Amino acid sequence: MPPDIAVYADLAELSHAAADTIEAAAQGAVSSHGRFSLCLSGGSTPRTLYHLLATEYRNRIPWSMAHLFFGDERCVPPSHPDSNYAMAREALLTHVPGLEARTYRIAGERGAEVAARAYDAVLHSVFPGKDPVTFDVVLLGIGSDGHTASLFPGSPALDEHDRWAVPAEAPPDVATARARVTLTYPVLDAALDALILTAGADKRPIVEHVRADGASPDSPYPVARITARRRVRWLVTG
Ligand code: 6PG
């Protein structure tokens, strides 16, 4: 099946489209199972979206029933400029009363292995009755090398099929902290919907590869291996 790729004029338009999708998914999730589990992406692309969710869409999303998670985190303190949590906190969490208390942070400052094991346990037991988390929506970005979350090309984390969170290391050319924790395909692919937010001309070759060759489990680009229970949507600009 050809990938679902939607192209937008700019990041603002892309972010509104993503917010509309999240609004609909949240309403549907709360109606069907009484809560909305959203896995946030790091990096810079989602900042505009998070601001929209905290402002224009704030009263259109059932935030009191929402639980937020992270697809990856850098191994830095939560106040560090490289922290994905810090970006989400500034753009979204502090603007929605009570949301921070239902946000499950990856404690990267504890070191990758300790933080990964702790987060794996959270994902498996965060809800009463210990039913493991299955995200209603997972947000993902891509790097110019085709990574997503902190699943980098050639990483052993690509072949992890048991643990839901593992240590990872960004390549030397990545400007931010290299030591990471990343979620793995088993938990990412268990999401109902995946939204891949892609902005910037440097990522266009990856998008064109996926447009031509489709997504596949053995793609050289980790992002192209992502699947979902219902739909993987690429929202692209630039
Ligand atoms: C991270 C992200 C990563 C990000 C891409 C795109 O922690 O770095 O999770 O996967 O989504 O690198 O980053 P930009 O949005 O900054 O281009």
Side-chain angles (χ1 to χ4, degrees), residues 41-46 72 74 84 141-143 147-150 180 203:
S41 171
S44 56
T45 301
D72 71 329
R74 293 78 179 267
N84 288 332
I142 74 173
H147 79 259
T148 193
S150 284
R180 309 284 185 93
K203 302 161 186 185

Side-chain angles (χ1 to χ4, degrees), residues 135-217:
F135 302 129
D136 296 294
V137 174
V138 59
L139 301 177
L140 291 165
I142 74 173
S144 55
D145 61 355
H147 79 259
T148 193
S150 284
L151 296 167
F152 292 94
S155 165
L158 301 182
D159 300 316
E160 176 58 51
H161 298 297
D162 298 315
R163 296 174 66 180
W164 283 9
V166 293
E169 185 170 59
D173 62 331
V174 169
T176 54
R178 294 186 59 196
R180 309 284 185 93
V181 174
T182 188
L183 300 196
T184 57
Y185 289 116
V187 66
L188 295 174
D189 292 349
L192 188 60
D193 291 324
L195 299 184
I196 300 174
L197 312 178
T198 306
D202 60 323
K203 302 161 186 185
R204 194 176 299 141
I206 313 290
V207 176
E208 292 317 311
H209 165 85
V210 171
R211 195 191 300 275
D213 298 349
S216 68

